Amino acid sequence: MAYNPPKQAGIGQVIDSVIILVLLFICLLVPFLWKKQAAATAAEAPAAAAVQEAEPTWEALNQTAVQAGRLSPCLRRTTTAAAALPASPCQPFPVES
């Protein structure tokens, strides 16, 4: 015996098609609206970022003295990266400055 699915009325098919189309348009519009929202937010962000551009201090970053002591050699402003690297016994060749 073969399976015979129930018949759907024409109005039911129309309603189902309209629901599917509405869901499809919603799915297509959501990324567009998110991108538009992100662009508006990005336009406001530089003003807020300009306020925070000041040179951060260890106190402003809530760093302890131990953390500041361990990170300060890494943050020295040097002209070459080799000058900032400490001499290491594991280094296979000498670093030229």
Side-chain angles (χ1 to χ4, degrees), residues 20-51:
I20 296 294
L21 284 174
V22 167
L23 291 174
L24 175 70
F25 282 115
I26 288 172
C27 291
L28 291 174
L29 284 176
V30 165
F32 173 73
L33 294 175
W34 275 348
K35 185 176 179 183
K36 190 174 179 182
Q37 170 102 17
T41 305
E44 297 170 3
V51 173

Side-chain angles (χ1 to χ4, degrees), residues 83-94:
L85 295 174
S88 173
C90 300
Q91 217 164 5
F93 53 88

